[in-house]
Every structure is written in structure tokens, then in C-alpha cells.
């Protein structure tokens, strides 16, 4: 009897268990079908991102300054690869790592389902790795950024990071235009990350847009090479060179030294420092390069006429407790000779006749103290104090305010382009608004004529001369501020020139910062760079030599 009851009890229990299992099965198959399907898809359906090809950066002739090339990145499922132990030594060899190093790298990430083993490999190298047939090893298409010009234009072009995001220079400021839109690919993957099915949802990547600059790669190379050569000989700390086509204000070359090769990313700190765009970011007191503006303002304001002479006496003047000195006593100087001799005394006397308000408005009208807008997000504004602080003494020969190379070039465009400052163009399709005239066309022409004497024999920049063309220009040699005081042993050397002088087509600015030797004058260091590069530019632009009657030679020494 007891046995019969036990059998009935067991049978009842089994029947009850069967009913519970059937009920649960019915619940899962009918009521939770959608939930289970979603859970399954969540584990296996993936959206793969396909990178977009980044737009290229080209010069005015279409030469490539930056481009993206297809590459392959190697990613792994570490646990799967560790199980394929015999392949690890071969894989380590192809990756240039030791077996122990690779094994430790994988073991430290054994819980991951995705790990980049090597980024942006050449396709041939990636094929050799995949030919091993190791478990858990996959490819992912990426794009690698290359800069064919290396250091030549690096400070302007900038660079991206390994993920193709702009980090410096134009790569950063134009990132939205260059980067494009990644694509989307919806797939089913197995437990090892292998794609087993492509689903219908596919959005192709949209490549970024190309950017065409106004730079001429050959002139950029010439400017950088000439700048580098003189800077290294002079043991300078840095240097800048900027050349502009006066016809349309387009920048032909914009070089900063020392440069850095953006294709070599082994030292990230040095790379960032070397990519500083000094043309737009470094500020300096412009020194005697602004004296032509003082002469032009004095002529336009009517405080002197073109035939005026300025008494510079023995080259010494004391004004409001400040000592003003020339290198030599030049006596009475015409306005042209004030520029040719770079007389500080002559410039200050003109500044005093103008007064602080007029001098301030002259500089303000040239754009000093304002962003030029030529390079969005990559520019310093410089500093121009108000009339009271600016005064009209040392400001008349370029001290007491500071500018960038871009601002100084824009201001000199007023002399080169008949009195109207012009914003510089870096982009081929750029249309820029016109500026109000700073000087009359007649005044600009008169000052250009005076500046020819600066380059003529006896002037301060004879090494800026270019055989076959007349050059107009101005030197500058500025003492640097060190620990709050002007240091008589440390300088910045400038030359600004334009050619042909009577109808300029090429404007060039050169600056050497802190040359270490005993040659530190603008006429000695910067002027030869101008002659070298401007000569190339004239030939590239097809400008014919223009011979004009010889001018009277300026007298005496240099500054």
C-alpha cells in the first residue's frame, strides 16, 4: 500500500513539473516572443561605423599639402587570440614586438571583445598579418593623414590626431569642412566579432570637402628654405616670412621656422610646439617698418609737404624725458632720406607734428589692434593703446605697441595698393570686403618712390635688391624686452619690401627673432631673404622686369 502511494506521489510530482514546464514554454514562446527576439538581436546585431575620407588641402596649383590615404587597423578579441597560441610568435614578429610583450598585452585585456592591436597599417602589412589566419584577428578600414611637404607648410596646415580630428592649424579651424560624415553599416556578428550577415540598413560615408589655398608650394618651399638657412646661420630663435600677390591680396607663402615634420609623431610635445603658426600668433613691436606710415600720414594730414626737410642735427633728441638717437648725425634730411637712413629723430619730429590723436588714427586705420580675420581662430589681435598712452614719440618709430605679421602685411598693402589696406586671402574661393582708404593714392605712390632709396646703394637694405627690378622697402631692427626692460644685446630684425616699386606685384615681409651673432640688422639678415624669394615669385607670376631711371643714391651708413 505504502509503495502504491509513493508511486502515485512521484507520478503526481512529475505531472505537475511537466505542466509547469509547458506553461513556462507557452509563456516564453507566445507572450515574450518579442522580448526574446530583441534580446537576441541586442547580442549580435551591431552598427559598424565606416570612416569618411577627409578632404585634401591643396595649393593654388592643386599640389597636395595634406591628404588621407586608405589604411588598415588590426583589432583583436584578446581571449580568442590567446587560445591560438602557436600564432602569437609569428604575429608578434610581424608587429615588431616580442612574443612575451604581445602575450602580456593580450592577457591584460582578456576580458575585452575589441582591442586595437595596431592602427593605420599599410595594406600590404595588414595582408601579411591576416594571412596568418590567427583566431580573433580582424581588419578595420581607416584613413591615415599624410603631409607631403613635411615641415615646409606645417605651421599653417597643422595636423590631425590618429582618429582624423583636426588638432592644429587649418586642420583644426576647417575641421567641419574637411572631415566629412561617417557611414553606418548594420550587421550581425558572431561571438568572435566576425560579420556573418549584412542587414539592409546601410548609410555610405560622405567624404569631406577639399580646401584650396592661395599658397604656391614652390614659393612656400623657397621661402622656408631661405628663412631656415639665414636663421640657422644667424643662430636666431625663430623666423617668419610672408609673401603676398598684391594684385589680389592672395598669400603666396607663409613660412615659420623652426618647423616640424607632422608625419613624424614620435614626440607629441615637440610636434605641438613646432606647429605654432607664428605668422598669426606671435606679436612684436614693428620698429622702423612703420616709419613709412608716419611719413604718409604726415603728407596726407598736410603737416608737411613732399619737399619738406627735417632737421635731425647730430642724431640726438630728448623729448619728454626720452632720449631719441640715430646711428649717426645726418643733419637736414628730406622725407625720402628720413626713410633711407631710418632716422628715429626724423620720424619722431614728424610724429610730434602729427600729434598722438592723428598718429593713433593712422595706425588704427591700418588695422593695428584688430584681428585681420585672415585665419579664423588662429590669430592674435596685437595691442594698440589709446592716443594718450601711445603718444607720438617712440610710437613714431615702432615702439609702444605690437602687431602680428598678418597685421603688418595688411598695413603695408595700403602702400602697395594705392592707399587701401587689404585683408590677406589664404583661400582660393575667398571674397573679402574692401577697407576704407588709409592714404590717398598719390601719397602711397610718393612714399613708394621714397622707399626705393632704402634698397638703392647707400640705403639700409641694399641686399634686398633684385637685378632687373626696382625694389621699394624698409628695414627694421628692434630691441627685445627682457625681464621688463629693453635689452641692448637682443634684437628682432625686419625687412618689408615690394616689387616692382612703382606698381607692386609682390609684397614680402621677413622677421628674424633674436639672432645670436654680431649681425642682427634687418638689412643684413632679412633683406637677402626677401631678394631671394621675391625673385622666385616674380618669375612664377610672370612679371617682366621694369627698368626706370636711376635714383639718387642715399648717403652714409646703415641701421
Amino acid at each position: 500500500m505504502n509503495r502504491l502511494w509513493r508511486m502515485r506521489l512521484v507520478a503526481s510530482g512529475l505531472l505537475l513539473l511537466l505542466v509547469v514546464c509547458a506553461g513556462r514554454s507557452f509563456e516564453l514562446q507566445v507572450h515574450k516572443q518579442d522580448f526574446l527576439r530583441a534580446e537576441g538581436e541586442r547580442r549580435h546585431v551591431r552598427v559598424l561605423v565606416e570612416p569618411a575620407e577627409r578632404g585634401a588641402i591643396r595649393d593654388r596649383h592643386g599640389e597636395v599639402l595634406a591628404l588621407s590615404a586608405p589604411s588598415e587597423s588590426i583589432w583583436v578579441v584578446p581571449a580568442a587570440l590567446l587560445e591560438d597560441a602557436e600564432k602569437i610568435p609569428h604575429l608578434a614578429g610581424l608587429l615588431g614586438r616580442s612574443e612575451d610583450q604581445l602575450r602580456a598585452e593580450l592577457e591584460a585585456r582578456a576580458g575585452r571583445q575589441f582591442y586595437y592591436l595596431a592602427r593605420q597599417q599599410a595594406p600590404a602589412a595588414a595582408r601579411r598579418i591576416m594571412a596568418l589566419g590567427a583566431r580573433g584577428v580582424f581588419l578595420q578600414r581607416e584613413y591615415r593623414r599624410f603631409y607631403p611637404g613635411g615641415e615646409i607648410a606645417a605651421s599653417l596646415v597643422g595636423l590631425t590626431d590618429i582618429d582624423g580630428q583636426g588638432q592644429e592649424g587649418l586642420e583644426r579651424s576647417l575641421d567641419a569642412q574637411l572631415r566629412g560624415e561617417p557611414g553606418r553599416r548594420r550587421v550581425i556578428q558572431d561571438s568572435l566579432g566576425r560579420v556573418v550577415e549584412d542587414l539592409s540598413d546601410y548609410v555610405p560615408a560622405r567624404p569631406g570637402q577639399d580646401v584650396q589655398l592661395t599658397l604656391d608650394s614652390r614659393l612656400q618651399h623657397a621661402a622656408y628654405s631661405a628663412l631656415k638657412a639665414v636663421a640657422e646661420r644667424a643662430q636666431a630663435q625663430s623666423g617668419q616670412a610672408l609673401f603676398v600677390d598684391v594684385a589680389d591680396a592672395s598669400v603666396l607663402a607663409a613660412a615659420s621656422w623652426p618647423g616640424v615634420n607632422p608625419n613624424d609623431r614620435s614626440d607629441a610635445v615637440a610636434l605641438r610646439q613646432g606647429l605654432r603658426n607664428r605668422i598669426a600668433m606671435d606679436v612684436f613691436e614693428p620698429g622702423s617698418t612703420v616709419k613709412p606710415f608716419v611719413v604718409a600720414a604726415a603728407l596726407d594730414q598736410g603737416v608737411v609737404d613732399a619737399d619738406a626737410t627735417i632737421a635731425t642735427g647730430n642724431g640726438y633728441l630728448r623729448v619728454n624725458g626720452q632720449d631719441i638717437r640715430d646711428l649717426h648725425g645726418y643733419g637736414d634730411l628730406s622725407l625720402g632720406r628720413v626713410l633711407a637712413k631710418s632716422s628715429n629723430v626724423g620720424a619722431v619730429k614728424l610724429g610730434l607734428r602729427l600729434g598722438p590723436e592723428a598718429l593713433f588714427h593712422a595706425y588704427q586705420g591700418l588695422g593695428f589692434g584688430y584681428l585681420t580675420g585672415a585665419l579664423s581662430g588662429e590669430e592674435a589681435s596685437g595691442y594698440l593703446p589709446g592716443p594718450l598712452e601711445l603718444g607720438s614719440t617712440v610710437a613714431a618709430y615702432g615702439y609702444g605697441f605690437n602687431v602680428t605679421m598678418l597685421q603688418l602685411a595688411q598695413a603695408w598693402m595700403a602702400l602697395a595698393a594705392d592707399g587701401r589696406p587689404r585683408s590677406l586671402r589664404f583661400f582660393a574661393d575667398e571674397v573679402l570686403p574692401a577697407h576704407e582708404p588709409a592714404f590717398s593714392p598719390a601719397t602711397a605712390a610718393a612714399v613708394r618712390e621714397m622707399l626705393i632709396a632704402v634698397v638703392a646703394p647707400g640705403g639700409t637694405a641694399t641686399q634686398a635688391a633684385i637685378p632687373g627690378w626696382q625694389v621699394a622697402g624698409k628695414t627694421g631692427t628692434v630691441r627685445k624686452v627682457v625681464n621688463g626692460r629693453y635689452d641692448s644685446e637682443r634684437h628682432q630684425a625686419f625687412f618689408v619690401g615690394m616689387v616692382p616699386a612703382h606698381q607692386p606685384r609682390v609684397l614680402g615681409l621677413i622677421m628674424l627673432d633674436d639672432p645670436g651673432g654680431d649681425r642682427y640688422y634687418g638689412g643684413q639678415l632679412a633683406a637677402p631673404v626677401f631678394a631671394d624669394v621675391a625673385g622666385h615669385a616674380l618669375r612664377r607670376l610672370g612679371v617682366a622686369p621694369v627698368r626706370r631711371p636711376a635714383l639718387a643714391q642715399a648717403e652714409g651708413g646703415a641701421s
Side-chain angles (χ1 to χ4, degrees):
M1 188 68 180
N2 287 338
R3 184 179 179 188
L4 179 62
W5 274 105
R6 285 198 297 272
M7 292 179 62
R8 287 176 176 173
L9 184 61
V10 170
S12 298
L14 291 174
L15 180 61
L16 179 60
L17 181 61
L18 182 62
V19 170
V20 170
C21 290
R24 180 59 176 166
S25 176
F26 180 79
E27 180 187 18
L28 293 176
Q29 294 294 326
V30 177
H31 295 292
K32 294 189 175 181
Q33 185 179 39
D34 293 342
F35 169 77
L36 292 175
R37 182 182 296 114
E39 284 295 296
E41 290 181 350
R42 185 175 66 81
R43 288 181 172 84
H44 298 292
V45 174
R46 295 287 185 271
V47 176
L48 302 181
V49 176
E50 294 193 344
E53 182 177 0
R54 190 175 178 84
I57 299 177
R58 303 175 184 275
D59 80 347
R60 64 168 55 200
H61 300 297
E63 294 292 327
V64 173
L65 299 169
L67 83 163
S68 294
S71 66
E72 302 286 356
S73 289
I74 312 297
W75 68 274
V76 299
V77 179
L81 180 54
L82 285 168
E83 291 175 1
D84 202 358
E86 64 178 16
K87 300 291 178 54
I88 290 180
H90 304 290
L91 181 58
L94 291 174
L95 292 170
R97 305 174 198 175
S98 70
E99 179 182 348
D100 290 343
Q101 182 186 8
L102 177 57
R103 193 179 299 280
E105 191 176 344
L106 295 171
E107 288 172 348
R109 298 162 179 84
R112 294 191 188 179
Q113 292 297 307
F114 183 98
Y115 172 59
Y116 275 127
L117 204 55
R119 298 286 300 272
Q120 299 184 350
Q121 301 294 294
R127 284 195 296 271
R128 287 194 291 272
I129 289 174
M130 296 308 294
L132 292 175
R135 290 189 63 196
V137 180
F138 304 95
L139 294 182
Q140 178 175 306
R141 169 58 57 88
E142 290 192 304
Y143 289 94
R144 183 173 182 179
R145 201 66 165 165
F146 291 97
Y147 301 92
E151 66 190 72
I152 300 299
S155 63
L156 177 65
V157 173
L159 87 166
T160 67
D161 62 15
I162 195 170
D163 293 315
Q165 303 296 312
Q167 298 296 302
E168 298 288 345
L170 295 178
E171 292 278 32
R172 183 176 65 179
S173 61
L174 302 178
D175 188 60
Q177 180 178 347
L178 290 164
R179 69 186 175 201
E181 189 70 31
R184 299 284 189 275
R185 178 184 168 203
R186 198 159 178 259
V187 301
I188 295 177
Q189 292 178 315
D190 65 12
S191 59
L192 291 181
R194 294 173 296 201
V195 174
V196 296
E197 183 179 353
D198 267 288
L199 302 178
S200 59
D201 300 332
Y202 174 62
V203 178
R206 180 177 59 80
Q209 301 174 45
D210 287 359
V211 172
Q212 186 167 27
L213 306 183
T214 62
L215 289 188
D216 182 316
S217 291
R218 293 190 183 183
L219 291 178
Q220 180 71 19
H221 187 278
Y224 184 82
S225 299
L227 182 69
K228 178 180 180 180
V230 74
E232 289 181 344
R233 279 200 306 272
Q235 303 170 39
Q237 293 298 311
S238 65
Q240 304 167 30
L242 181 62
F243 285 83
V244 182
D245 184 348
V246 177
D248 60 2
S250 59
V251 175
L252 298 166
S256 297
W257 180 88
V260 64
N261 185 355
N263 298 308
D264 180 3
R265 304 184 179 223
S266 58
D267 187 338
V269 174
L271 191 59
R272 284 291 182 91
Q273 292 175 346
L275 288 172
R276 178 181 176 81
N277 188 358
R278 300 179 185 280
I279 296 284
M281 299 300 295
D282 285 5
V283 296
F284 50 82
E285 290 174 303
S288 297
T289 60
V290 300
K291 287 174 181 171
F293 305 139
V294 178
V295 172
L299 289 170
D300 256 14
Q301 295 288 322
V303 301
V304 293
D305 57 42
D307 298 327
T309 58
I310 307 297
T312 65
N314 62 358
Y316 173 77
L317 180 68
R318 186 170 179 80
V319 182
N320 299 329
Q322 293 178 308
D323 295 325
I324 314 297
R325 288 187 172 86
D326 287 337
L327 280 181
H328 306 285
Y330 299 121
D332 292 345
L333 294 176
S334 66
L335 296 180
R337 299 281 293 281
V338 167
L339 296 176
K341 294 302 178 189
S342 199
S343 169
N344 293 337
V345 173
V348 169
K349 287 196 170 182
L350 289 172
L352 292 172
R353 294 190 193 185
L354 280 167
E357 285 283 347
L359 187 60
F360 168 79
H361 288 298
Y363 286 163
Q364 189 181 46
L366 291 164
F368 293 163
Y370 298 93
L371 297 174
T372 69
L375 291 170
S376 59
E378 293 287 337
E379 185 178 2
S381 63
Y383 173 65
L384 180 68
L388 188 62
E389 183 182 346
L390 182 69
S392 58
T393 55
V394 296
Y397 57 97
Y399 284 86
F401 63 102
N402 57 48
V403 301
T404 66
M405 190 70 104
L406 288 180
Q407 291 172 323
L408 192 58
Q410 177 177 287
W412 268 78
M413 284 293 289
L415 293 176
D418 289 334
R420 191 183 290 274
R422 297 182 63 180
S423 298
L424 306 185
R425 293 174 55 242
F426 279 89
F427 307 105
D429 58 353
E430 198 172 20
V431 178
L432 297 173
H435 291 266
E436 291 297 318
F439 314 116
S440 70
T443 294
V447 174
R448 287 201 303 270
E449 197 73 24
M450 296 176 193
L451 291 172
I452 294 173
V454 175
V455 183
T460 58
T462 56
Q463 296 186 66
I466 305 173
W469 284 274
Q470 279 191 318
V471 176
K474 185 69 191 77
T475 54
T477 305
V478 178
R479 289 183 178 181
K480 291 190 68 172
V481 174
V482 180
N483 298 325
R485 303 187 63 174
Y486 288 105
D487 189 329
S488 62
E489 301 298 322
R490 301 181 68 179
H491 303 84
Q492 290 171 318
F494 300 88
F495 179 76
V496 184
M498 44 193 164
V499 60
H502 69 287
Q503 192 173 356
R505 181 67 190 273
V506 176
L507 172 70
L509 298 85
I510 316 295
M511 192 275 274
L512 279 302
D513 181 35
D514 207 6
D518 56 359
R519 291 167 58 87
Y520 54 82
Y521 286 111
Q524 296 171 319
L525 300 179
V529 176
F530 171 85
D532 185 355
V533 182
H536 281 290
L538 291 168
R539 291 187 286 276
R540 292 283 291 169
L541 294 173
V543 181
V546 179
R547 299 189 182 281
R548 306 199 70 202
L551 296 175
Q553 294 184 354
E555 299 174 358
S559 65

